[in-house]
Every structure is written in structure tokens, then in C-alpha cells.
């Protein structure tokens, strides 16, 4: 009787976790909180492809206020960036920055659906109020299919309310 109860409890626990594991399969940022106006190491975690199709490109849009972006090259992938004008000039260690990287793309590689990988960039986060969430919309292209991790939660909702939420980092108080 105890053995059957334990088995039933184990099965219930596994079944309870299945929806959660599917929800955690999104492209996410490893570090989910960072001080405002700090240098941030963004590590985009890609946990799956598109069904059984491997990931062949990852593009991340850099939001306004995130400046001095430097992506990390990835062996086997081609790294490109797009630059553009910022909405305003930002002070960066006494220098006025009015343009910079607005998009990063890693293309030409192949990340099988059964594998996991990380794509890295560095940037300075905005000088905004603690609790502000900065979203980095990502498009994950596969040999067949695409995931658009671009949904930004409306007020009163969280990323758990969306099928393909954009990864975000919550700003904390400046050090």
C-alpha cells in the first residue's frame, strides 16, 4: 500500500512539473536582476529549437537606453550588428553617445533541438527606477520554423501570461 502511494505521489509530482518545464523552455536571460546604470553581462539561454528543427540564427533587439553594447563572438556562428541613432544622447564615462548597436545577430551555426547553448553580450543598462523591467526581444530562427520571443507584458501581467515572452532584466537600485 505504501509503495503504491509513493508511486502515485511521484507520478503526480512529475505530471505537475510538466507544464512548468514547458514554460521554462523559452529563450531567457541568465541574470534576471541588475543595478540600474550598471554594466550588464547578458547571457541569452536557448533551450530548444523549433520542434525538432535546429536553431540557425538568433537576433536580439537592443532597447532604447541600453548603450555601449558589445556582443561576444561565438565559434561556428557569424556575428553581425546593426547600429542606429539613439532617441537621445547618453553620458558614458564623460563621453556623449548618440548612436550605437541596436541589434545583434548570430547566424550560420546549428544548435540541434536536443542541445542547449548561450549567446552573450555586454551593455550598460538604463538609469531608471528600481523595478523597471528592460526587455530584449529575440527572434530565434530554425531550419524550419521560428520563435518570436518578443511579447512584452502589459501592466498587471507577467511573462508567464504569454506564449513567447521577451527576455527581461529587472533593474535594482544603483550600487
Amino acid at each position: 500500500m505504501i509503495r503504491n502511494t509513493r508511486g502515485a505521489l511521484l507520478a503526480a509530482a512529475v505530471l505537475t512539473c510538466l507544464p512548468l518545464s514547458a514554460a521554462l523552455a523559452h529563450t531567457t536571460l541568465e541574470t534576471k536582476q541588475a543595478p540600474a546604470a550598471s554594466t550588464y553581462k547578458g547571457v541569452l539561454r536557448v533551450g530548444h529549437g523549433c520542434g525538432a528543427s535546429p536553431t540557425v540564427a538568433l537576433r536580439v533587439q537592443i532597447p532604447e537606453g541600453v548603450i555601449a553594447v558589445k556582443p561576444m563572438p561565438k565559434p561556428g556562428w557569424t556575428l553581425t550588428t546593426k547600429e542606429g541613432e539613439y532617441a537621445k544622447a547618453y553620458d558614458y564615462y564623460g563621453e556623449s553617445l548618440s548612436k550605437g548597436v541596436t541589434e545583434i545577430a548570430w547566424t550560420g551555426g546549428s544548435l540541434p533541438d536536443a542541445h542547449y547553448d548561450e549567446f552573450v553580450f555586454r551593455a550598460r543598462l538604463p538609469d531608471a527606477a528600481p523595478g523597471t523591467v528592460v526587455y530584449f526581444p529575440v527572434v530565434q530562427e530554425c531550419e524550419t520554423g521560428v520563435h518570436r520571443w518578443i511579447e512584452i507584458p502589459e501592466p498587471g501581467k507577467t511573462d508567464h501570461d504569454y506564449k513567447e515572452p521577451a527576455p527581461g532584466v529587472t533593474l535594482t537600485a544603483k550600487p
Side-chain angles (χ1 to χ4, degrees), residues 92-109:
Y92 185 65
Y93 297 106
E95 181 182 342
S96 179
L97 295 182
S98 59
K99 67 178 183 173
V101 174
T102 58
E103 183 179 285
I104 304 167
W106 291 270
T107 59

Side-chain angles (χ1 to χ4, degrees), residues 9 17 32 39 47 62 74 79 84 89 93 101 108 112 121 134 139 142-143 149 155 159 175:
L9 288 174
C17 291
K32 299 191 183 302
T39 299
I62 306 302
K74 187 164 199 50
L79 173 63
Y93 297 106
V101 174
F121 64 94
V134 179
V139 175
C142 299
E143 284 181 0
W149 308 108
D159 60 341

Side-chain angles (χ1 to χ4, degrees), residues 7-158:
L9 288 174
L10 179 60
V14 168
L15 290 174
T16 301
C17 291
L18 284 177
L20 180 60
S21 65
L24 296 175
H26 304 312
T27 296
T28 60
L29 285 165
E30 179 178 73
T31 304
K32 299 191 183 302
Q33 292 186 353
S38 69
T39 299
Y40 176 71
K41 179 182 176 184
V43 179
L44 288 164
R45 301 181 304 182
V46 179
H48 62 80
C50 304
S53 183
T55 300
V56 296
L58 195 74
R59 299 178 199 291
V60 58
Q61 181 181 345
I62 306 302
E64 182 64 34
V66 176
I67 62 171
V69 176
K70 291 188 176 187
M72 182 182 286
K74 187 164 199 50
W77 296 77
T78 300
L79 173 63
T80 58
T81 59
K82 287 185 182 177
E83 287 198 11
E85 297 288 326
Y86 296 143
K88 66 176 194 168
Y90 296 93
D91 178 60
Y92 185 65
Y93 297 106
E95 181 182 342
S96 179
L97 295 182
S98 59
K99 67 178 183 173
V101 174
T102 58
E103 183 179 285
I104 304 167
W106 291 270
T107 59
S110 182
L111 175 60
D113 181 58
H115 297 163
Y116 157 90
D117 208 344
E118 299 175 335
F119 297 78
V120 182
F121 64 94
R122 187 196 82 184
R124 191 179 87 188
L125 294 172
D127 187 1
T132 300
V133 181
V134 179
Y135 292 97
F136 293 84
V138 173
V139 175
Q140 175 188 5
E141 297 176 24
C142 299
E143 284 181 0
T144 304
V146 64
H147 284 294
R148 298 182 192 286
W149 308 108
I150 61 172
E151 297 173 310
I152 297 173
E154 297 173 16
K157 294 192 175 192
T158 70

